[in-house]
């Protein structure tokens, strides 16, 4: 067991006090709510099969890959193998579905890894068998951007650019939703007013078509913005009814789990955690955590449970989902593997979790960073 675990006490039946950032909270350093959503596409962060889905066994894990350099985004190919993005190297490696040596299959050009920036989110096209596209979110010389490419083609196509970059709050998670659209967690890049500015893509969850254009049916026609008032969203997924859930870094007090609805405003920077909704203008989170207990990055949904990878908290949070409500969160793996970056549902229904102990804020052990299967 690792030493710095932090308290894991649940403070309330639904709300738990808390927050965090990429391990340091300081600012210094359409219609998808359908009742029967289709299965999540390859590379999605959800494998929602209702209550029938089997819960992961946290007493038994298997190492899928070791010796990785800050694995951030994970997406699955149709055959079950995974593509993994390394934040600091700009490499994409392929990992066998049953585990084994990772091999480089692509080098994303133009990645500028600094602070929390670098090669971040990764998504495999839901039509990969036909179009062969892989999508990546990364920090470039002047901005954060999204590209798509084919593994056999060295030239990526920029499909979305102009997201403000910084050493912190770059967001970066991307995933295709049950509606086939590309969802993007865009941080506020340390520029707080952008989160409330509807004309800025920063501090938002974006919803894009596969070519990067604003998706049809967005709350404002012609705008990529799906929801606003976010500080730094790095994880989200969909439940079996198509509801979108996202986790978010707070600053000094509260990290959050939010039920995302189109056009909703989640309050940052006016509100951190649960607070005054100003007559319904802002939407409160359903779960909050204390700073030391979370810093939530990746998130996945399997069955009726949200799994949240915590960096500073060095644990995996499980959050029961019941319609639009949540049950008491429970901490698993506390301090056992160090900083946890990404949680993703694999095509076989297992849960994959990556560590982030080589990101400059962790305490790496032999074999770090690694991907574990539960």
């Amino acid at each position: 067991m690792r030493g710095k675990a932090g308290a894991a006490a649940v403070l309330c039946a639904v709300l738990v006090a808390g927050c965090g950032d990429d391990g340091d909270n300081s600012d210094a350093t359409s219609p998808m709510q359908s009742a029967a959503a289709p299965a999540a596409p390859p590379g999605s962060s959800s494998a929602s099969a209702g209550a029938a889905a089997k819960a992961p066994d946290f007493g038994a894990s298997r190492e899928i890959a070791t010796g990785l350099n800050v694995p951030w985004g994970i997406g699955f190919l149709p055959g079950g193998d995974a593509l993994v993005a390394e934040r600091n190297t700009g490499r994409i490696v392929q990992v066998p579905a049953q585990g084994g040596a990772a091999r480089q299959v692509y080098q994303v050009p133009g990645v500028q890894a600094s602070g929390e920036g670098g090669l971040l989110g990764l998504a495999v096209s839901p039509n990969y068998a036909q179009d062969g596209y892989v999508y990546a979110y990364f920090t470039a010389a002047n901005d954060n951007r999204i590209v798509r490419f084919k593994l056999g083609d060295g030239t990526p196509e920029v499909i979305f650019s102009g997201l403000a970059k910084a050493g912190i709050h770059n967001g970066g998670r991307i995933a295709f939703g049950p509606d086939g659209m590309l969802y993007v967690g865009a941080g506020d890049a340390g520029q707080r007013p952008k989160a409330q500015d509807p004309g800025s893509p920063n501090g938002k969850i974006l919803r894009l078509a596969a070519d990067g254009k604003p998706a049809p049916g967005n709350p404002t026609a012609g705008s990529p913005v799906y929801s606003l008032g976010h500080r730094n969203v790095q994880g989200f997924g969909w439940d079996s009814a198509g509801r979108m859930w996202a986790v978010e870094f707070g600053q000094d007090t509260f990290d959050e789990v939010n039920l995302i609805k189109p056009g909703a405003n989640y309050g940052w920077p006016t509100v951190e955690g649960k607070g005054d909704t100003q007559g319904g203008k802002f939407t409160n989170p359903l779960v909050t955590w204390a700073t030391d207990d979370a810093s939530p990055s990746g998130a996945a949904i399997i069955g009726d449970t949200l799994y949240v990878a915590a960096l500073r908290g060095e644990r995996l949070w499980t959050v029961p989902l019941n319609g639009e409500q949540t049950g008491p969160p429970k901490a698993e793996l506390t301090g056992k593997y160090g900083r946890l970056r990404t949680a993703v549902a694999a095509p076989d229904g297992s849960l994959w979790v990556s560590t982030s102990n080589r990101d400059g804020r962790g305490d790496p052990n032999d074999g770090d960073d690694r991907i574990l299967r539960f």
Side-chain angles (χ1 to χ4, degrees), residues 105-122:
V105 292
Y106 196 79
Q107 178 78 43
V108 179
V111 173
Q112 299 286 313
S114 177
E116 295 173 9
L119 179 57
L120 304 175
L122 198 66

Side-chain angles (χ1 to χ4, degrees), residues 7-338:
V10 175
L11 302 182
C12 176
V14 176
L15 294 178
V16 182
C19 108
D21 233 320
D22 210 40
D24 177 0
N25 315 358
S26 171
D27 279 332
T29 359
S30 88
M32 59 164 291
Q33 306 293 329
S34 59
S44 166
S45 55
S46 304
S48 302
K54 186 177 179 181
D57 178 3
F58 293 111
S61 66
R62 187 169 87 231
E63 286 190 344
I64 292 292
T66 60
L68 300 173
N69 193 322
V70 195
W72 214 101
I74 301 176
F76 290 94
L77 296 170
D81 284 3
L83 299 178
V84 180
E86 291 186 329
R87 188 187 75 180
N88 291 349
T89 68
R91 297 194 316 156
I92 294 176
V93 299
Q94 185 169 339
V95 175
Q98 298 305 314
R103 63 182 181 90
Q104 181 175 328
V105 292
Y106 196 79
Q107 178 78 43
V108 179
V111 173
Q112 299 286 313
S114 177
E116 295 173 9
L119 179 57
L120 304 175
L122 198 66
V124 175
S125 168
N127 301 311
Y128 183 84
Q130 290 74 44
D131 61 34
Y133 279 129
V134 177
Y135 292 72
Y137 181 120
F138 71 93
T139 309
N142 299 309
D143 62 2
N144 284 302
R145 55 182 52 194
I146 301 170
V147 296
R148 66 178 179 182
F149 51 86
K150 298 181 180 181
L151 295 179
D153 183 349
T155 306
E157 174 192 1
V158 178
I159 65 165
F160 195 92
S161 61
L163 285 159
K165 59 173 276 190
I168 55 174
H169 308 180
N170 290 291
R173 195 69 61 181
I174 58 175
F176 282 94
D179 57 2
M181 299 299 155
L182 183 66
Y183 289 77
V184 181
D188 70 3
Q191 302 175 48
R192 297 181 181 189
K194 288 182 178 293
Q196 289 295 323
D197 178 1
S200 169
N202 284 87
K204 313 293 192 299
I205 292 176
L206 309 177
R207 180 173 177 264
L208 308 176
D211 61 2
K213 295 177 181 177
N218 278 356
T220 299
S223 168
V225 174
Y226 191 68
S227 62
L228 68 160
H230 298 290
R231 183 173 183 266
N232 194 20
V233 171
Q234 287 189 7
F236 48 81
W238 292 265
D239 65 21
S240 57
R243 290 178 287 255
M244 185 180 187
W245 298 82
V247 298
E248 181 167 349
F249 291 96
Q251 183 185 347
D252 294 321
T253 313
F254 296 110
D255 288 337
E256 303 176 357
V257 174
N258 287 295
L259 175 61
I260 302 300
K261 295 190 175 183
N265 187 329
Y266 292 86
W268 176 257
T270 305
V271 179
E272 178 186 349
K274 186 176 181 180
D276 182 3
T277 65
Q278 295 192 8
K281 177 181 178 180
F282 301 137
T283 299
N284 274 327
L286 295 180
V287 175
T288 60
W289 286 289
T291 304
D292 290 344
D293 294 344
S295 297
S297 186
I301 296 174
I302 298 177
D304 292 330
T305 303
L306 172 69
Y307 298 91
V308 182
L311 291 162
R312 185 172 182 177
E314 296 191 353
R315 68 199 68 182
L316 185 78
W317 284 102
T318 66
V319 182
L321 303 178
N322 181 16
E324 295 192 354
Q325 301 300 317
T326 59
K330 179 183 178 183
E332 302 281 0
L333 309 177
T334 303
K336 188 172 183 179
Y337 299 106

